[in-house]
Amino acid sequence: MELSDANLQTLTEYLKKTLDPDPAIRRPAEKFLESVEGSQNYPLLLLTLLEKSQENVIKVCASVTFKNYIKRNWRIVEDEPNKICESDRIAIKANIVPLMLSSPEQIQKQLSDAISIIGREDFPQKWPDLLTEMVNRFQSGDFHVINGVLRTAHSLFKRYRHEFKSNELWTEIKLVLDAFALPLTNLFKATIELCSTHANDASALKVLFSSLILIAKLFYSLNFQDLPEFFEDNMETWMTNFHSLLTLDNKLLQTDDEEEAGLLELLKSQICDNAALYAQKYDEEFQPYLPRFVTAIWNLLVTTGQEVKYDLLVSNAIQFLASVCERPHYKHLFEDQNTLTSICEKVIVPNMEFRAADEEAFEDNSEEYIRRDLEGSDIDTRRRAACDLVRGLCKFFEGPVTGIFSGYVNSMLQEYAKNPSVNWKHKDAAIYLVTSLASKAQTQKHGITQANELVNLTEFFVNHIQPDLKSASVNEFPVLKADGIKYIMIFRNQVPKEQLLVSIPLLINHLQAESIVVHTYAAHALERLFTMRGTNNTTLITAAEMAPFVEVLLTNLFKALTLPGSSENEYIMKAIMRSFSLLQESIIPYIPSVITQLTQKLLAVSKNPSKPHFNHYMFESICLSIRITCKANPDAVGSFEEALFMVFTEILQNDVQEFIPYVFQVMSLLLEMHKNEIPSSYMALFPHLLQPVLWERTGNIPPLVRLLQAYLERGANTIASAAADKIPGLLGVFQKLIASKANDHQGFYLLNSIIEHMPPESVDQYRKQIFILLFQRLQNSKTTKFIKSFLVFINLYCIKYGALALQEIFDSIQPKMFGMVLEKIIIPEIQKVSGQVEKKICAVGITKILTECPPMMDTEYTKLWIPLLQALIGLFELPEDDTIPDEEHFIDIEDTPGYQTAFSQLAFAGKKEHDPVGQMVNNPRIHLAQSLHKLSTACPGRVPSMLSTSLNAEALQYLQGYLQAASVTLL
Amino acid sequence: MPVEIKHSERMRKFKNKGKDAAALRRQRVEVNIELRKAKKDEQILKRRSISFRLMDESLSPGEERRNEIIQLSLEEIVEAVNGSNMELQLQATQATRRMLSRQKDPPINQIIELGIIPRLVEFLTHADNAPLQFEAAWALTNIASGTSDHTKAVVEGGAIPAFISLLSSPHMHISEQSVWALGNIAGDGPLYRDALINCNVIPPLLALVSPVTPVGFLRNITWTLSNLCRNKNPYPPLDAVKKMLPVLICLMEHEDKDIISDSCWAVSYLTDGSNDRIQIVVDTGILPRLVQLMASPELIIMTPALRAIGNVVTGTDEQTQAAIDAGVLAVLPCLLRHAKPTIQKEAAWTLSNIAAGPCQQIQQLITCGLLPPLVELLDKGDFKAQKEAVWAVANFTTGGTVEQVVELVQSGVLKPLLNLLLAKDSKTILVILDTISNLFLAAEKLGETERLCLLVEELDGLEKIEALQTHDNNMVYRAALNIIEKYFSGEENPDLQPGTGQDGLYDFSVEKQDFNF
């Protein structure tokens, strides 16, 4: 493409078409531009247009197109053709900086982005004059130009803030410092001077302050990796000026906007960051300046208003103080009683106040409010910063700070008492202050885990929290109600049990509050109280203690779900689940009504599932209803099936993906409740469960495997007789799972169930195939997890079909295969098997190989007999894994191992661990001894001679122990 | 590069092959470029003789008192130096020396431009005129103390052989001045250092060391020796090192602190290299003395001694064990708590390399009570030191046994470690995240994953890790994501994937192949 007027004209027309709302016009134009962008001069045509076009819209469009073109094409990827010809590259680099600087802001931004994309590739080696070109513009005196340069520099240098130290990076930084640091410093000084000469010119000040912000940001980037020599030498200049800017105020720069931070706030905020950077990383050099900054920053805090626009500045500033006051060598800056008092009074207390914005959120955006207040997503808020400062100060000054605040708390409470309806915010602040003062460590699961011993939490609770909650009207002073409930919640481990018991009816009562925050907190508090542990791993609050409240609790919880804004409130649903789990059989009388309400809810939300946690707890609650009821009355399973299957069918038919894994789990639970052969309603579904589309979704895999296992346990014979043609499909699922490193263990679960439950003749023809598959996986991509599962499987097979059958099938696949597996897999890897049942299966299987497999005694495999026995003894003598106690009541979704968003395992649908060798073998060590004894009677003399010649002494000693315990001797 | 080291660490973890301690140990120099000011507590490379020293006065008695300082212009100096009047030569040389000795802005360039260096070098050979020899030597010393170009001018003027022969001058002060000049030349870099060594500077220099050598002189000799040991790329020749080492070790037993300091610096240079160089030093049996000196109250002794031992423990497990046997672990707690940040940092660096060793060495580290000071440093130390302490913890968790890691956690490492996730340094953050992963691996083995989770949350670690998921650095954000999500290798085995049969279900089939595990 030549740089001709004709081409410019064509390009203009196509660019114009790319803005057309009609895709029929727009798309071909975009296609055309893409097709010509590889031609020489194309980028130069764009640059020409964005500079010279008559129409502003074309200029802007050309600049955006140019930037995107650079973004797509500038990088030279190895082994791929260079997409921009060299002469264009040179021309672009030669022209872009002046062009950017002379363009109006809208275009300048695009070109500045383009420069930084090019810079990322070419700077510094392939663009050596970029820096000088930029620096030279500092002298222009035109702040439009200067800001363009600064902005570009910022986008070039800001990566220094996150990249790892490397020779390449530091060489670049050094180069930048050599060329840039001094001019930047001079510009900084000059700009500050201009600020005072133009102190009365609002529009000039705005431009100058934009420059200062960019300069301060550049300072941060250039000083991030290490303290450069230049900046150390010029620390006085920079820090003195930063310091005075922090204290500067100018009416002309104040904005009316309450929300958006103005230039002054942005600048001061960046300066706080700069000071924090130096304080953290270059303490030794920065020490002389630090006290000044501490003073300036707290003065800044004292004089800054409550408006939202100051939030970032204030929280940055407070965080700075919080980080400094924890450092031992700055302790002295804070320890004076007056200083402490003034920080508490003027910095902490004001920033803990409940502001209009908070009130608004409490009422209109309660979800966000709860998230911030309860779940700690409040990192940038003022309250949080103030809290951190309290904690920081308490590190050295816990006593004095507690003393000062106690005074404040008392006076705020008195204010409140004078006129509660006007002064309720004082009480809110008092509660917040007590909370932040008292809490030293906290988790979601346990609330406060470490408290300040100087604060009497129970006394405060009895005197100031309970009275609010006892008040007749649950809707009065909702913020204080929420505060009070939160107090119970977070200090539940500090407040004595009798006080908690007194609180429970109060909390149940507040489930009826209209305020979303209040009834949500009440539900959440109950749920947390119900998960507290008492002695002996039971719940602190017992079902018996709850007996008087069962009805009202359940009623209020379900009623709360009908309050406006709470129809899918996860806290309430979780409280329902936890209540069921705590109350157990005392909920049975209410089940008919409960299950109706839950199925209605399920039906409603399945139309558009949007609250994953809510849904999860709803299914947990359904599972609990089933378990609790069927435990007392197994026949009730039918009525649950009746209530649920219709909704389930709808969910499966409509393919509600979020719910399908849950449905499978509930169905597994129901199926396992059946004592007899599988009902036909389940069998009708069987072929559908083998559909590949279901298995492609990872979230379906664990619950579907579990469901198929339930089918095999209850219906193996039915499958063999009535659905034999589906067996290949079933094994196909196994094959699918085994191919994946992530899901292979699920494949083994399925395979183990098939081997255990299916009649042998029904799977006979497939057995060899199964092993070939497993060997293939073993050969191609062996992982520890796979090996562990594999070992358990072959031993289970051995138990079921006999050791000889195992040896024969291996050797039929490939001669000497059995020996290879013993030598390369079983003997070296058996110690990796974990889990009591798994170990037991392996022990019994190996015992069979040792004692019931003739080729082990009279072929070349005999040499493996002793090593295998030794490996088995090793397996026995490994420290046993402690089984996990039955603590399912306490399980949270987050804690369930293997939980992923896609899977959603239901804790209360869980099944008991299954031990396929349970009845057969009680003590595998004794079993080994007895089996060896049997073997030795069959071939007298051989076993003792093998043992005495090759078994190592320690193993032999263990073995003798087993023999003694079994009261047998080897012949 | 450190990033690669970390990567291979990960690989080792995945492959369960155990770690390779050599890769965990970090040599001093990770990056050759420095942004910072040259370190203030490094040993001085070149020195200028500034003030009038006692020796000078004794040489020209009464000069000061008579206040007869003769002021000469540069032109006059050139003329006199090039002339043949010995009195004027002396005066001019002295004037030159005096200019070069003044406190502020010595006119080194101007003097070089006069072109009188060859002449001054020539004066060095005037054995019959000791005062002239001395003044010339002094002047040249101060020229050589400047930049590389300045030193170069002196060397190119032919000063090396002249100074070396002056080492054997019957006049002690001339010999001493030559030692000084040679020190400046050696300090310029490996090139001139080796030029000196090739001109056989070492034997006459070592010959000057005797029980009767005055302390001041001995200081100069030690300093010059240390410069002959200094610098890498290349290292000083091995046979030269072997000649100097026995003398340096004697000097280390001297009672003068400057002599001890400079001999320690020399040893620190000799140990700042490959393991075979470290071995030469270890073989001399000097480690116990170095460890003793690490505990010296004198900063100028403690610093290089610590540096030398720090270098030794970058070596093999056996070399590290030698340092441990010499008692380094007993001294480190004090140094970790030292008021000076650079000492904290060096001590933590040393510790981090010991923690990179086998678990027996880690056990010794625990037994000697290093965990409490390490945790303190992590909590309250200077940032430079905190960074090194993070490495120490990281190495500990990579190589330690589960029991050792438990002990580490019980000593309270978690809180300060998690706090440092706020550090303004991507590398440190990444190392901490890797460390946290290591802790989780240990917790899994103990079935304590849940407890560790709670602990991390309680200490405000969770919210920090969560926040790091939006970090700009790719590796940092991925590491944070991994901890939140745990590692997950979901790759499939395409050959084993079943096809779909006519019934729409999976086909169960496989081709047999030959197996060999």
mmCIF file of all heavy atoms in Angstrom, chain A residues 152-184:
data_model
loop_
_atom_site.group_PDB
_atom_site.id
_atom_site.type_symbol
_atom_site.label_atom_id
_atom_site.label_comp_id
_atom_site.label_asym_id
_atom_site.label_seq_id
_atom_site.Cartn_x
_atom_site.Cartn_y
_atom_site.Cartn_z
ATOM 1 N N THR A 152 3.165 7.879 29.668
ATOM 2 C CA THR A 152 3.835 6.820 28.919
ATOM 3 C C THR A 152 4.918 6.166 29.780
ATOM 4 O O THR A 152 5.051 4.943 29.832
ATOM 5 C CB THR A 152 4.487 7.399 27.648
ATOM 6 O OG1 THR A 152 3.488 8.137 26.954
ATOM 7 C CG2 THR A 152 5.012 6.310 26.765
ATOM 8 N N ALA A 153 5.690 6.997 30.455
ATOM 9 C CA ALA A 153 6.746 6.453 31.313
ATOM 10 C C ALA A 153 6.134 5.553 32.381
ATOM 11 O O ALA A 153 6.641 4.461 32.666
ATOM 12 C CB ALA A 153 7.518 7.593 31.966
ATOM 13 N N HIS A 154 5.018 6.001 32.920
ATOM 14 C CA HIS A 154 4.383 5.189 33.963
ATOM 15 C C HIS A 154 3.979 3.824 33.413
ATOM 16 O O HIS A 154 4.199 2.796 34.052
ATOM 17 C CB HIS A 154 3.172 5.930 34.528
ATOM 18 C CG HIS A 154 2.396 5.131 35.527
ATOM 19 N ND1 HIS A 154 2.990 4.541 36.620
ATOM 20 C CD2 HIS A 154 1.085 4.819 35.601
ATOM 21 C CE1 HIS A 154 2.067 3.891 37.318
ATOM 22 N NE2 HIS A 154 0.910 4.049 36.717
ATOM 23 N N SER A 155 3.423 3.817 32.203
ATOM 24 C CA SER A 155 3.008 2.501 31.699
ATOM 25 C C SER A 155 4.215 1.657 31.296
ATOM 26 O O SER A 155 4.144 0.438 31.316
ATOM 27 C CB SER A 155 1.978 2.616 30.573
ATOM 28 O OG SER A 155 2.520 3.327 29.504
ATOM 29 N N LEU A 156 5.331 2.292 30.991
ATOM 30 C CA LEU A 156 6.542 1.515 30.700
ATOM 31 C C LEU A 156 7.187 0.958 31.971
ATOM 32 O O LEU A 156 7.745 -0.121 31.969
ATOM 33 C CB LEU A 156 7.574 2.396 29.983
ATOM 34 C CG LEU A 156 7.425 2.616 28.486
ATOM 35 C CD1 LEU A 156 8.446 3.661 28.025
ATOM 36 C CD2 LEU A 156 7.653 1.315 27.724
ATOM 37 N N PHE A 157 7.139 1.746 33.042
ATOM 38 C CA PHE A 157 7.936 1.398 34.227
ATOM 39 C C PHE A 157 7.143 0.651 35.298
ATOM 40 O O PHE A 157 7.720 0.156 36.252
ATOM 41 C CB PHE A 157 8.548 2.653 34.879
ATOM 42 C CG PHE A 157 9.387 3.494 33.949
ATOM 43 C CD1 PHE A 157 9.587 4.849 34.178
ATOM 44 C CD2 PHE A 157 9.999 2.920 32.835
ATOM 45 C CE1 PHE A 157 10.358 5.625 33.313
ATOM 46 C CE2 PHE A 157 10.771 3.686 31.958
ATOM 47 C CZ PHE A 157 10.949 5.038 32.198
ATOM 48 N N LYS A 158 5.818 0.629 35.168
ATOM 49 C CA LYS A 158 5.102 0.095 36.325
ATOM 50 C C LYS A 158 5.319 -1.404 36.525
ATOM 51 O O LYS A 158 5.082 -1.913 37.603
ATOM 52 C CB LYS A 158 3.613 0.436 36.253
ATOM 53 C CG LYS A 158 2.865 -0.218 35.138
ATOM 54 C CD LYS A 158 1.391 0.149 35.190
ATOM 55 C CE LYS A 158 0.688 -0.496 34.017
ATOM 56 N NZ LYS A 158 -0.304 0.352 33.394
ATOM 57 N N ARG A 159 5.836 -2.075 35.496
ATOM 58 C CA ARG A 159 6.103 -3.499 35.700
ATOM 59 C C ARG A 159 7.240 -3.735 36.697
ATOM 60 O O ARG A 159 7.401 -4.834 37.211
ATOM 61 C CB ARG A 159 6.408 -4.189 34.369
ATOM 62 C CG ARG A 159 7.724 -3.827 33.763
ATOM 63 C CD ARG A 159 7.882 -4.427 32.381
ATOM 64 N NE ARG A 159 9.175 -4.106 31.815
ATOM 65 C CZ ARG A 159 10.199 -4.967 31.786
ATOM 66 N NH1 ARG A 159 10.063 -6.167 32.276
ATOM 67 N NH2 ARG A 159 11.344 -4.617 31.248
ATOM 68 N N TYR A 160 8.039 -2.696 36.965
ATOM 69 C CA TYR A 160 9.102 -2.872 37.964
ATOM 70 C C TYR A 160 8.519 -3.201 39.335
ATOM 71 O O TYR A 160 9.206 -3.661 40.219
ATOM 72 C CB TYR A 160 9.967 -1.608 38.087
ATOM 73 C CG TYR A 160 10.561 -1.128 36.777
ATOM 74 C CD1 TYR A 160 10.986 0.194 36.613
ATOM 75 C CD2 TYR A 160 10.700 -1.999 35.694
ATOM 76 C CE1 TYR A 160 11.519 0.640 35.409
ATOM 77 C CE2 TYR A 160 11.223 -1.556 34.487
ATOM 78 C CZ TYR A 160 11.626 -0.243 34.345
ATOM 79 O OH TYR A 160 12.148 0.191 33.163
ATOM 80 N N ARG A 161 7.219 -2.936 39.500
ATOM 81 C CA ARG A 161 6.612 -3.175 40.796
ATOM 82 C C ARG A 161 6.289 -4.638 41.054
ATOM 83 O O ARG A 161 6.001 -5.009 42.168
ATOM 84 C CB ARG A 161 5.291 -2.407 40.907
ATOM 85 C CG ARG A 161 5.450 -0.928 40.757
ATOM 86 C CD ARG A 161 4.082 -0.300 40.649
ATOM 87 N NE ARG A 161 4.199 1.146 40.582
ATOM 88 C CZ ARG A 161 3.196 1.959 40.832
ATOM 89 N NH1 ARG A 161 2.030 1.462 41.171
ATOM 90 N NH2 ARG A 161 3.356 3.262 40.745
ATOM 91 N N HIS A 162 6.226 -5.442 40.019
ATOM 92 C CA HIS A 162 5.857 -6.823 40.308
ATOM 93 C C HIS A 162 6.790 -7.867 39.726
ATOM 94 O O HIS A 162 6.682 -9.029 40.026
ATOM 95 C CB HIS A 162 4.417 -7.099 39.845
ATOM 96 C CG HIS A 162 4.230 -6.950 38.377
ATOM 97 N ND1 HIS A 162 3.594 -5.867 37.817
ATOM 98 C CD2 HIS A 162 4.602 -7.736 37.358
ATOM 99 C CE1 HIS A 162 3.596 -5.992 36.509
ATOM 100 N NE2 HIS A 162 4.190 -7.115 36.203
ATOM 101 N N GLU A 163 7.734 -7.433 38.890
ATOM 102 C CA GLU A 163 8.572 -8.462 38.287
ATOM 103 C C GLU A 163 9.688 -8.893 39.230
ATOM 104 O O GLU A 163 10.096 -8.160 40.110
ATOM 105 C CB GLU A 163 9.156 -7.944 36.966
ATOM 106 C CG GLU A 163 8.036 -7.732 35.988
ATOM 107 C CD GLU A 163 8.373 -8.083 34.570
ATOM 108 O OE1 GLU A 163 9.555 -8.189 34.230
ATOM 109 O OE2 GLU A 163 7.416 -8.241 33.786
ATOM 110 N N PHE A 164 10.159 -10.126 38.984
ATOM 111 C CA PHE A 164 11.262 -10.628 39.795
ATOM 112 C C PHE A 164 12.552 -9.936 39.384
ATOM 113 O O PHE A 164 12.755 -9.624 38.219
ATOM 114 C CB PHE A 164 11.439 -12.135 39.589
ATOM 115 C CG PHE A 164 10.278 -12.938 40.051
ATOM 116 C CD1 PHE A 164 9.765 -13.949 39.260
ATOM 117 C CD2 PHE A 164 9.698 -12.708 41.289
ATOM 118 C CE1 PHE A 164 8.701 -14.724 39.688
ATOM 119 C CE2 PHE A 164 8.637 -13.468 41.730
ATOM 120 C CZ PHE A 164 8.130 -14.472 40.930
ATOM 121 N N LYS A 165 13.404 -9.794 40.380
ATOM 122 C CA LYS A 165 14.737 -9.285 40.142
ATOM 123 C C LYS A 165 15.451 -10.159 39.116
ATOM 124 O O LYS A 165 15.398 -11.387 39.205
ATOM 125 C CB LYS A 165 15.432 -9.365 41.498
ATOM 126 C CG LYS A 165 16.871 -9.077 41.568
ATOM 127 C CD LYS A 165 17.257 -9.191 43.053
ATOM 128 C CE LYS A 165 18.721 -8.934 43.281
ATOM 129 N NZ LYS A 165 19.053 -8.965 44.715
ATOM 130 N N SER A 166 16.079 -9.548 38.136
ATOM 131 C CA SER A 166 16.898 -10.327 37.207
ATOM 132 C C SER A 166 17.917 -9.380 36.602
ATOM 133 O O SER A 166 17.746 -8.165 36.639
ATOM 134 C CB SER A 166 16.032 -10.922 36.087
ATOM 135 O OG SER A 166 15.600 -9.888 35.211
ATOM 136 N N ASN A 167 18.959 -9.950 36.048
ATOM 137 C CA ASN A 167 19.984 -9.100 35.441
ATOM 138 C C ASN A 167 19.406 -8.212 34.360
ATOM 139 O O ASN A 167 19.717 -7.033 34.260
ATOM 140 C CB ASN A 167 21.068 -9.979 34.819
ATOM 141 C CG ASN A 167 22.199 -10.204 35.794
ATOM 142 O OD1 ASN A 167 22.440 -9.368 36.664
ATOM 143 N ND2 ASN A 167 22.855 -11.320 35.661
ATOM 144 N N GLU A 168 18.540 -8.811 33.559
ATOM 145 C CA GLU A 168 17.970 -8.082 32.439
ATOM 146 C C GLU A 168 17.136 -6.896 32.948
ATOM 147 O O GLU A 168 17.275 -5.769 32.481
ATOM 148 C CB GLU A 168 17.105 -9.053 31.658
ATOM 149 C CG GLU A 168 16.888 -8.653 30.244
ATOM 150 C CD GLU A 168 15.779 -9.509 29.627
ATOM 151 O OE1 GLU A 168 15.319 -10.467 30.287
ATOM 152 O OE2 GLU A 168 15.379 -9.182 28.510
ATOM 153 N N LEU A 169 16.288 -7.195 33.936
ATOM 154 C CA LEU A 169 15.413 -6.150 34.459
ATOM 155 C C LEU A 169 16.236 -5.030 35.094
ATOM 156 O O LEU A 169 16.003 -3.851 34.857
ATOM 157 C CB LEU A 169 14.453 -6.745 35.482
ATOM 158 C CG LEU A 169 13.473 -5.752 36.100
ATOM 159 C CD1 LEU A 169 12.408 -5.363 35.087
ATOM 160 C CD2 LEU A 169 12.809 -6.323 37.345
ATOM 161 N N TRP A 170 17.202 -5.417 35.882
ATOM 162 C CA TRP A 170 17.959 -4.392 36.596
ATOM 163 C C TRP A 170 18.842 -3.585 35.644
ATOM 164 O O TRP A 170 19.099 -2.408 35.880
ATOM 165 C CB TRP A 170 18.776 -5.026 37.740
ATOM 166 C CG TRP A 170 17.889 -5.317 38.915
ATOM 167 C CD1 TRP A 170 16.598 -5.731 38.863
ATOM 168 C CD2 TRP A 170 18.213 -5.190 40.307
ATOM 169 N NE1 TRP A 170 16.098 -5.872 40.135
ATOM 170 C CE2 TRP A 170 17.068 -5.549 41.042
ATOM 171 C CE3 TRP A 170 19.363 -4.802 40.995
ATOM 172 C CZ2 TRP A 170 17.038 -5.538 42.429
ATOM 173 C CZ3 TRP A 170 19.337 -4.802 42.385
ATOM 174 C CH2 TRP A 170 18.178 -5.168 43.091
ATOM 175 N N THR A 171 19.297 -4.222 34.586
ATOM 176 C CA THR A 171 20.058 -3.456 33.592
ATOM 177 C C THR A 171 19.156 -2.382 33.002
ATOM 178 O O THR A 171 19.569 -1.227 32.843
ATOM 179 C CB THR A 171 20.550 -4.391 32.467
ATOM 180 O OG1 THR A 171 21.159 -5.515 33.062
ATOM 181 C CG2 THR A 171 21.512 -3.689 31.557
ATOM 182 N N GLU A 172 17.930 -2.772 32.701
ATOM 183 C CA GLU A 172 16.999 -1.786 32.148
ATOM 184 C C GLU A 172 16.733 -0.670 33.160
ATOM 185 O O GLU A 172 16.767 0.509 32.827
ATOM 186 C CB GLU A 172 15.678 -2.464 31.750
ATOM 187 C CG GLU A 172 14.679 -1.467 31.195
ATOM 188 C CD GLU A 172 13.322 -2.093 30.845
ATOM 189 O OE1 GLU A 172 13.283 -3.221 30.342
ATOM 190 O OE2 GLU A 172 12.298 -1.415 31.090
ATOM 191 N N ILE A 173 16.474 -1.054 34.405
ATOM 192 C CA ILE A 173 16.172 -0.035 35.407
ATOM 193 C C ILE A 173 17.353 0.923 35.569
ATOM 194 O O ILE A 173 17.188 2.133 35.675
ATOM 195 C CB ILE A 173 15.816 -0.687 36.759
ATOM 196 C CG1 ILE A 173 14.539 -1.513 36.616
ATOM 197 C CG2 ILE A 173 15.644 0.367 37.841
ATOM 198 C CD1 ILE A 173 14.132 -2.257 37.863
ATOM 199 N N LYS A 174 18.541 0.357 35.547
ATOM 200 C CA LYS A 174 19.722 1.193 35.703
ATOM 201 C C LYS A 174 19.813 2.204 34.563
ATOM 202 O O LYS A 174 20.078 3.390 34.777
ATOM 203 C CB LYS A 174 20.968 0.309 35.734
ATOM 204 C CG LYS A 174 22.095 0.924 36.534
ATOM 205 C CD LYS A 174 23.198 -0.099 36.755
ATOM 206 C CE LYS A 174 24.464 0.546 37.278
ATOM 207 N NZ LYS A 174 24.294 1.262 38.548
ATOM 208 N N LEU A 175 19.540 1.708 33.392
ATOM 209 C CA LEU A 175 19.563 2.579 32.225
ATOM 210 C C LEU A 175 18.519 3.689 32.372
ATOM 211 O O LEU A 175 18.782 4.861 32.102
ATOM 212 C CB LEU A 175 19.235 1.717 31.008
ATOM 213 C CG LEU A 175 19.532 2.307 29.665
ATOM 214 C CD1 LEU A 175 20.724 1.565 29.087
ATOM 215 C CD2 LEU A 175 18.340 2.132 28.733
ATOM 216 N N VAL A 176 17.339 3.300 32.813
ATOM 217 C CA VAL A 176 16.269 4.268 32.995
ATOM 218 C C VAL A 176 16.669 5.292 34.052
ATOM 219 O O VAL A 176 16.504 6.498 33.876
ATOM 220 C CB VAL A 176 14.951 3.559 33.386
ATOM 221 C CG1 VAL A 176 13.916 4.564 33.842
ATOM 222 C CG2 VAL A 176 14.436 2.735 32.219
ATOM 223 N N LEU A 177 17.242 4.794 35.143
ATOM 224 C CA LEU A 177 17.627 5.710 36.212
ATOM 225 C C LEU A 177 18.662 6.710 35.719
ATOM 226 O O LEU A 177 18.577 7.910 35.998
ATOM 227 C CB LEU A 177 18.202 4.923 37.396
ATOM 228 C CG LEU A 177 17.176 4.155 38.232
ATOM 229 C CD1 LEU A 177 17.875 3.159 39.133
ATOM 230 C CD2 LEU A 177 16.323 5.116 39.046
ATOM 231 N N ASP A 178 19.643 6.205 34.980
ATOM 232 C CA ASP A 178 20.698 7.093 34.502
ATOM 233 C C ASP A 178 20.128 8.213 33.643
ATOM 234 O O ASP A 178 20.565 9.356 33.726
ATOM 235 C CB ASP A 178 21.746 6.302 33.694
ATOM 236 C CG ASP A 178 22.602 5.446 34.617
ATOM 237 O OD1 ASP A 178 22.563 5.693 35.838
ATOM 238 O OD2 ASP A 178 23.273 4.521 34.121
ATOM 239 N N ALA A 179 19.149 7.867 32.830
ATOM 240 C CA ALA A 179 18.636 8.880 31.913
ATOM 241 C C ALA A 179 17.496 9.687 32.517
ATOM 242 O O ALA A 179 17.269 10.832 32.127
ATOM 243 C CB ALA A 179 18.160 8.206 30.624
ATOM 244 N N PHE A 180 16.779 9.099 33.459
ATOM 245 C CA PHE A 180 15.482 9.631 33.822
ATOM 246 C C PHE A 180 15.422 10.250 35.212
ATOM 247 O O PHE A 180 14.651 11.171 35.461
ATOM 248 C CB PHE A 180 14.472 8.476 33.726
ATOM 249 C CG PHE A 180 13.057 8.897 33.484
ATOM 250 C CD1 PHE A 180 12.641 9.283 32.219
ATOM 251 C CD2 PHE A 180 12.135 8.915 34.510
ATOM 252 C CE1 PHE A 180 11.335 9.677 31.982
ATOM 253 C CE2 PHE A 180 10.821 9.317 34.282
ATOM 254 C CZ PHE A 180 10.430 9.694 33.007
ATOM 255 N N ALA A 181 16.211 9.701 36.117
ATOM 256 C CA ALA A 181 16.038 10.085 37.527
ATOM 257 C C ALA A 181 16.288 11.575 37.754
ATOM 258 O O ALA A 181 15.492 12.253 38.418
ATOM 259 C CB ALA A 181 16.948 9.242 38.409
ATOM 260 N N LEU A 182 17.372 12.083 37.197
ATOM 261 C CA LEU A 182 17.674 13.489 37.424
ATOM 262 C C LEU A 182 16.643 14.415 36.775
ATOM 263 O O LEU A 182 16.098 15.300 37.439
ATOM 264 C CB LEU A 182 19.101 13.810 36.944
ATOM 265 C CG LEU A 182 19.521 15.272 37.106
ATOM 266 C CD1 LEU A 182 19.540 15.671 38.586
ATOM 267 C CD2 LEU A 182 20.888 15.533 36.470
ATOM 268 N N PRO A 183 16.341 14.211 35.484
ATOM 269 C CA PRO A 183 15.299 15.064 34.888
ATOM 270 C C PRO A 183 13.965 14.984 35.636
ATOM 271 O O PRO A 183 13.277 15.986 35.811
ATOM 272 C CB PRO A 183 15.140 14.505 33.475
ATOM 273 C CG PRO A 183 16.373 13.759 33.187
ATOM 274 C CD PRO A 183 16.937 13.317 34.491
ATOM 275 N N LEU A 184 13.639 13.789 36.120
ATOM 276 C CA LEU A 184 12.382 13.646 36.855
ATOM 277 C C LEU A 184 12.433 14.466 38.152
ATOM 278 O O LEU A 184 11.462 15.138 38.508
ATOM 279 C CB LEU A 184 12.123 12.165 37.173
ATOM 280 C CG LEU A 184 10.773 11.879 37.816
ATOM 281 C CD1 LEU A 184 9.646 12.016 36.805
ATOM 282 C CD2 LEU A 184 10.730 10.478 38.435
#
